[in-house]
Amino acid sequence: MKAKSKPLETERLMLREIRESDAMLLVQWRSVPEIYQYFLSPKPITLEQHLEWYFNCYREDRNRIDFMAVEKVSGQEKGVFHIKRSLDNVQCSEIGYLLDKSAQGKGYAQEGIKRLMVFVKSNWKCKECAFYIHEKNRASRILAERLGYIKSGRKGSFILYGIDLENILGGGV
């Protein structure tokens, strides 16, 4: 399979596309109740479910890229970020993330999200980014607002936050 993206860098992180070999770690992170309670499907997943998604959906989806966040200094995996181009509006991309509990509260989410905002603007020519954040996920709501995202709607228990990339990142990247 050809990579969907070259690795991206931030000050402290290397963001590389997820691999089959990441499956166990991703399932481990995805199966923590304090984390999955905020997902659209709030339940743990199995390795088999993840691999089925990876091989049958993810690898063929040209509108989604998942990045493993690896700390440059230690080489340790700290979390995963994803970007997904909206099929309704190809100029809009959704961003999501999941951090290992030990990596939370250290600014990795903000660092990774900022880098992905630049990526979707320059590579996918997106003009907007969006987050769907569970109404009880206070930390992610605060982060979205700190980054300049504005509440723009609801979908059940999820609040939609959006941002105009032109206003934040300027005309050039």
Side-chain angles (χ1 to χ4, degrees), residues 24-43:
M24 286 296 294
L25 185 57
L26 293 171
V27 168
Q28 178 185 331
W29 288 338
R30 175 62 175 77
S31 297
V32 174
E34 295 85 11
I35 292 174
Y36 71 67
Q37 70 179 331
Y38 300 129
F39 286 12
L40 282 173
S41 178
K43 59 187 176 200

Side-chain angles (χ1 to χ4, degrees), residues 29-161:
W29 288 338
R30 175 62 175 77
S31 297
V32 174
E34 295 85 11
I35 292 174
Y36 71 67
Q37 70 179 331
Y38 300 129
F39 286 12
L40 282 173
S41 178
K43 59 187 176 200
I45 62 168
T46 66
L47 179 61
E48 293 76 22
Q49 288 170 320
H50 174 78
L51 289 173
E52 180 180 337
W53 167 81
Y54 179 80
F55 286 113
N56 297 326
C57 300
Y58 175 74
R59 292 188 346 158
E60 302 305 318
D61 189 346
R62 304 323 285 166
N63 291 304
R64 179 181 176 133
I65 306 174
D66 287 49
F67 293 93
M68 178 63 74
V70 180
E71 187 180 52
K72 291 179 185 178
V73 172
S74 69
Q76 292 182 327
E77 292 88 355
K78 296 296 181 181
V80 64
F81 292 84
H82 81 263
I83 50 175
K84 184 168 58 173
R85 194 175 359 222
S86 170
L87 298 179
D88 298 334
N89 176 2
V90 293
Q91 292 189 327
C92 181
S93 183
E94 180 184 325
I95 294 180
Y97 68 96
L98 163 66
L99 293 178
D100 179 66
K101 203 165 178 84
S102 68
Q104 295 175 8
K106 295 183 164 94
Y108 290 122
Q110 182 168 327
E111 200 171 307
I113 292 165
K114 283 181 175 181
R115 179 63 183 96
L116 292 179
M117 288 167 56
V118 171
F119 177 87
V120 299
K121 183 173 190 267
S122 61
N123 292 69
W124 286 359
K125 308 302 181 211
C126 291
K127 296 181 190 281
E128 303 169 30
C129 273
F131 272 114
Y132 283 96
I133 301 174
H134 193 282
E135 63 191 1
K136 293 183 180 176
N137 189 343
R138 186 173 182 270
S140 288
R141 290 191 352 257
I142 289 169
L143 174 61
E145 291 171 6
R146 184 180 306 137
L147 288 167
Y149 284 75
I150 298 168
K151 291 179 191 177
S152 57
R154 285 190 76 92
K155 190 175 190 179
S157 301
F158 291 83
I159 301 169
L160 173 61
Y161 286 83

